[in-house]
Amino acid sequence: MVHFTAEEKAIITSLWAKVNVEETGGEALGRLLVVYPWTQRFFDNFGNLSSASAIMGNPKVKAHGKKVLSSLGEAVTHMDDLKDAFAHLSELHCDRLHVDPENFRLLGNVLVIVLAHHFGREFTPQVQAAWKKLMSAVAIALGHKYH
Amino acid sequence: MVHLTAEEKSSVTSLWGKMNVDEAGGEALGRLLVVYPWTQRFFDNFGNLSSSSAIMGNPKVKAHGKKVLTSFGDAIKNMDNLKGAFAKLSELHCDKLHVDPENFRLLGNVLVIILATHFGKDFTPEVQVAWQKLVSGVAIALAHKYH
């Protein structure tokens, strides 16, 4: 199990409080679909994904991105218990959605990049390290119920 | 071989033109050592790497970071022939330095994050795609001579 120090938790929580979940969610999912185009296969019914601007402006991408990032908010409030917090979502992604767990790592990477992009200089090396740890741990938790 | 479109090459070159390679190099190597602490094993003789601020302020880290990123500049001038451009460095990293090629991908990720923190609005999804493609291409080229 990934263990977070008190300092890492404080860093994560403090940045999270400043995140606009709706915008950031849309941007993270959008960038995933742009930068790793094969991920678009999970979103057949999202309409126009034919270019970077179509993807970034697509209302279904924004809405789903917001949903995904809100659920990440659960991670921030359950850092000591990520496997349980994500148990249902893990089963869902395995049994129904059939998503390769590698994609959780990709989304985690994209989210770190989006946070870096938004927060600029505030996104210090320590902040980067703490968030990278959280993203890795969430990816592990989401992969945990796979069989 | 990774292929960048004319537009992607121009995104890469234009952002590179605005970079302070000295500073960015030190920052990239520093963040690698902070966020992925096991990478410190390659830099035993660098002195104080005991904390994030020690690492980021360490003059050997800055100097070596500058050297690494300057060599990245070669990638930018040889985007159609990364394997050729990095052949010698690939042999060096395999035969003398014994660096696991996974570390090239980690450093590439860190570089993308730094670009995101520095360039804000300029770091659009399309620019991110171009740079992620380039850093993957460099990582592949650096691993190419491994045996």
Side-chain angles (χ1 to χ4, degrees):
Chain A
M1 190 181 87
V2 175
H3 176 75
F4 296 89
T5 64
E7 199 182 336
E8 286 165 342
K9 288 181 187 177
I11 284 173
I12 288 167
T13 317
S14 134
L15 202 82
W16 183 252
K18 303 178 204 175
V19 169
N20 177 327
V21 172
E22 186 166 349
E23 266 182 33
T24 303
E27 196 176 344
L29 185 62
R31 283 187 188 242
L32 180 78
L33 298 172
V34 170
V35 177
Y36 306 106
W38 58 88
T39 57
Q40 293 169 27
R41 72 181 289 282
F42 297 111
F43 304 104
D44 276 343
N45 62 343
F46 270 29
N48 186 6
L49 299 179
S50 60
S51 68
S53 46
I55 290 170
M56 300 311 288
N58 182 310
K60 286 189 172 184
V61 171
K62 292 184 184 194
H64 195 71
K66 173 184 175 183
K67 186 173 174 181
V68 168
L69 207 68
S70 302
S71 125
L72 209 74
E74 288 292 298
V76 176
T77 49
H78 289 88
M79 284 188 260
D80 288 328
D81 188 20
L82 291 171
K83 282 182 180 157
D84 280 350
F86 283 97
H88 282 308
L89 278 174
S90 182
E91 283 168 4
L92 175 75
H93 282 78
C94 171
D95 299 333
R96 301 258 193 85
L97 304 176
H98 308 299
V99 174
D100 187 317
E102 178 58 24
N103 292 290
F104 309 144
R105 281 173 271 288
L106 295 185
L107 182 60
N109 279 353
V110 172
L111 184 61
V112 168
I113 288 168
V114 168
L115 293 174
H117 180 231
H118 279 207
F119 288 102
R121 292 165 65 85
E122 209 180 325
F123 199 72
T124 63
Q126 293 102 304
V127 172
Q128 180 183 341
W131 272 89
K132 182 80 188 72
K133 211 173 165 179
L134 181 65
M135 293 299 97
S136 298
V138 168
I140 290 168
L142 277 168
H144 189 61
K145 293 283 185 183
Y146 271 62
H147 56 89
Chain B
M1 191 182 87
V2 172
H3 177 75
L4 275 80
T5 65
E7 205 182 326
E8 285 164 348
K9 287 181 191 176
S10 138
S11 278
V12 164
T13 318
S14 128
L15 212 75
W16 183 256
K18 302 180 198 170
M19 274 178 71
N20 178 329
V21 173
D22 285 2
E23 268 184 30
E27 197 179 344
L29 186 61
R31 283 188 188 241
L32 181 78
L33 298 172
V34 169
V35 177
Y36 306 104
W38 58 89
T39 57
Q40 294 169 28
R41 69 182 291 282
F42 297 110
F43 304 104
D44 276 343
N45 62 343
F46 270 29
N48 185 6
L49 299 178
S50 61
S51 69
S52 169
S53 45
I55 290 171
M56 300 311 288
N58 182 309
K60 286 190 173 182
V61 170
K62 291 184 186 192
H64 195 70
K66 173 183 171 183
K67 185 174 176 182
V68 168
L69 207 65
T70 302
S71 124
F72 218 83
D74 284 341
I76 312 254
K77 295 186 208 132
N78 290 284
M79 285 188 264
D80 290 329
N81 183 20
L82 292 172
K83 283 178 182 163
F86 283 98
K88 292 233 171 74
L89 277 174
S90 182
E91 285 169 4
L92 176 75
H93 282 77
C94 170
D95 299 333
K96 301 257 188 76
L97 304 176
H98 308 299
V99 174
D100 187 317
E102 180 57 25
N103 292 291
F104 309 143
R105 282 174 269 287
L106 296 184
L107 183 61
N109 279 352
V110 171
L111 184 59
V112 170
I113 287 168
I114 285 172
L115 296 174
T117 60
H118 280 205
F119 287 104
K121 284 161 65 73
D122 283 348
F123 195 72
T124 62
E126 295 92 328
V127 170
Q128 182 181 341
V129 170
W131 273 91
Q132 290 210 211
K133 248 173 142 171
L134 179 68
V135 303
S136 297
V138 170
I140 290 166
L142 277 168
H144 189 61
K145 294 284 185 180
Y146 271 62
H147 57 89

